[in-house]
Amino acid sequence: MNNFSFTKALDMDTAIALTSGNDHNKLIAGGTNIIDLLKYFITEADTLVDINSIPGISKIAENAAGGIRIGALVTNADTAYHAIIEEKYPLLSKAILAGASAQIRNMATNGGNLLQRTRCYYFYDIHTPCNKREPGSGCSAIQGYNRIHAILGHSESCIAVFPSDMCIALSALDAVVHISGPEGERNVAFSDFHRLPGATPESDNNLKKGELITAIDLPEKGFSKYYSYLKLRDRASYSFALVSVATGLDLENGLIKEARIALGGVSHKPWRVKEAEDFLKGKEPKIANFEATAQMILKGAKGFEHNHFKIELAKKAIVRNCMMALDPTSQRPGAKPSL
């Protein structure tokens, strides 16, 4: 049994004060991940600080730049089904609905989604070495059963992958994370929020001590005409991605004006390669060009004993998803795939 205290923070300053002074005080909103971490003795808490009553961070509204600001306490379900998100950012809606179950989406918050931890088997097994759980103990996955693990951006210390679907779309959309903490407020580009493991895999992101996410900003461009989210997994329901791809395209006169491609299930953070996206500018949206892009994105990929297949799978998923983005109606249930 994990014994802990429970308190409600009614404002931002209280939440920051309670967590900045004690590493074992943890924030809780939806609780869909931290409760598991407590039950499996992966983390411990002196006090759980409930932030659901903090005002001002539980709504979706336009921001000053013409885009949309999504509050950290808005649930995944309310975000996915929000009229503005469905209309202007359907890629985000589709990605959210590909994740978890309806019950979890009804509880899970957007801020928590960004902070969820890996589902690596060895991370959850406290009887095995894991550098994310116990720095310096080793990575059991490297020589273990690593079918779901990373093929890009991994290190000798960790080959875990980041599990979120929502974050893959946020990466493709160039979202911005708003943060409050003891030193005030700051904004972080989504590409800079999560970390690769390097020698410090215990650090999933660049939040500082006592900081919390307050909102996520989406830019005005939402790629609402040409988009697709493809999630490849072992079973169709409630399973994490082996490989996922978020694609947004902007076409002009039959050529690609702009492309965004983000991968999930392959790295410790959402994976994008700007050079590969730039390669598509001014080119025809056809299979040969998407294949060349896929090669660029997977350059340097390295598999392990059980997950070499993910390299070729990711390349094919990129091509298929880019073709699907040209006709979003192809993603409706029962429709024939574009490739």
Side-chain angles (χ1 to χ4, degrees):
M1 169 66 73
N2 274 299
N3 293 314
F4 56 84
S5 300
F6 181 86
T7 187
K8 280 183 174 287
L10 301 181
D11 55 63
M12 194 73 65
D13 290 342
T14 301
I16 292 170
L18 287 170
T19 53
S20 60
N22 187 333
D23 290 339
H24 292 308
N25 286 355
K26 309 291 185 183
L27 300 176
I28 185 169
T32 57
N33 191 197
I34 193 170
I35 296 301
D36 281 345
L37 297 175
L38 288 169
K39 288 195 297 184
Y40 283 93
F41 299 98
I42 298 166
T43 192
E44 58 185 38
D46 292 339
T47 300
L48 283 183
V49 182
D50 186 333
I51 61 172
N52 285 293
S53 298
I54 295 178
I57 57 174
S58 57
K59 62 182 180 179
I60 296 176
E62 292 186 358
N63 61 26
I68 296 296
R69 175 163 295 182
I70 305 171
L73 291 181
V74 181
T75 67
N76 289 176
D78 285 345
T79 303
Y81 291 118
H82 194 281
I84 295 178
I85 302 300
E86 288 186 312
E87 178 186 358
K88 293 188 63 176
Y89 307 96
L91 175 59
L92 177 58
S93 179
K94 187 172 178 63
I96 293 172
L97 294 176
S101 65
Q103 292 88 346
I104 290 177
R105 293 194 299 265
N106 284 337
M107 288 295 296
T109 62
N110 294 327
N113 191 291
L114 272 61
L115 299 177
Q116 63 182 298
R117 307 213 68 188
T118 184
R119 265 50 173 206
C120 172
Y121 325 118
Y122 301 102
F123 175 70
Y124 269 83
D125 183 355
I126 61 172
H127 302 292
T128 61
C130 172
N131 286 322
K132 288 185 71 62
R133 186 172 15 85
E134 187 179 349
S137 63
C139 176
S140 296
I142 291 177
Q143 298 297 326
Y145 185 61
N146 41 44
R147 186 170 184 273
I148 67 171
H149 288 76
I151 56 174
L152 289 162
H154 46 62
S155 70
E156 294 181 357
S157 298
C158 181
I159 61 171
V161 298
F162 183 60
S164 173
D165 289 285
M166 177 182 182
C167 288
I168 309 309
L170 290 174
S171 175
L173 291 169
D174 276 343
V176 175
V177 184
H178 292 267
I179 296 167
S180 288
E183 299 177 3
E185 299 183 354
R186 66 187 181 106
N187 301 328
V188 178
F190 204 85
S191 58
D192 297 326
F193 182 77
H194 296 101
R195 296 166 54 102
L196 293 176
T200 55
E202 68 275 13
S203 299
D204 294 332
N205 54 65
N206 287 309
L207 273 185
K208 299 176 183 177
K209 183 178 179 180
E211 289 186 327
L212 66 155
I213 298 168
T214 58
I216 304 159
D217 264 5
L218 300 176
E220 186 175 5
K221 177 176 284 189
F223 297 93
S224 60
K225 189 173 182 181
Y226 301 108
Y227 67 91
S228 181
Y229 186 75
L230 177 64
K231 182 177 183 179
L232 304 179
R233 43 190 162 173
D234 284 324
R235 61 183 190 275
S237 62
Y238 319 146
S239 183
F240 294 101
L242 290 169
V243 173
S244 62
V245 189
T247 299
L249 299 175
D250 186 9
L251 303 183
E252 186 175 76
N253 299 322
L255 301 178
I256 298 172
K257 182 179 179 181
E258 186 173 5
R260 306 276 182 82
I261 302 171
L263 298 188
V266 298
S267 178
H268 200 260
K269 62 180 289 185
W271 190 265
R272 279 180 64 187
V273 176
K274 185 68 163 51
E275 293 79 7
E277 295 173 353
D278 290 342
F279 166 80
L280 285 172
K281 291 181 178 179
K283 291 185 172 60
E284 295 181 50
K286 60 182 183 180
I287 290 176
N289 288 328
F290 294 141
E291 287 176 338
T293 301
Q295 292 289 343
M296 296 174 69
I297 293 174
L298 272 295
K299 183 180 180 181
K302 174 189 173 184
F304 296 86
E305 182 179 0
H306 302 285
N307 74 348
H308 282 284
F309 73 95
K310 290 177 71 170
I311 298 175
E312 195 62 29
L313 182 67
K315 293 177 183 178
K316 293 183 181 299
I318 291 168
V319 177
R320 178 182 174 187
N321 200 52
C322 287
M323 295 300 293
M324 291 171 65
L326 299 173
D327 180 16
T329 61
S330 66
Q331 302 163 54
R332 294 173 181 169
K336 294 181 179 180
S338 301
L339 185 65

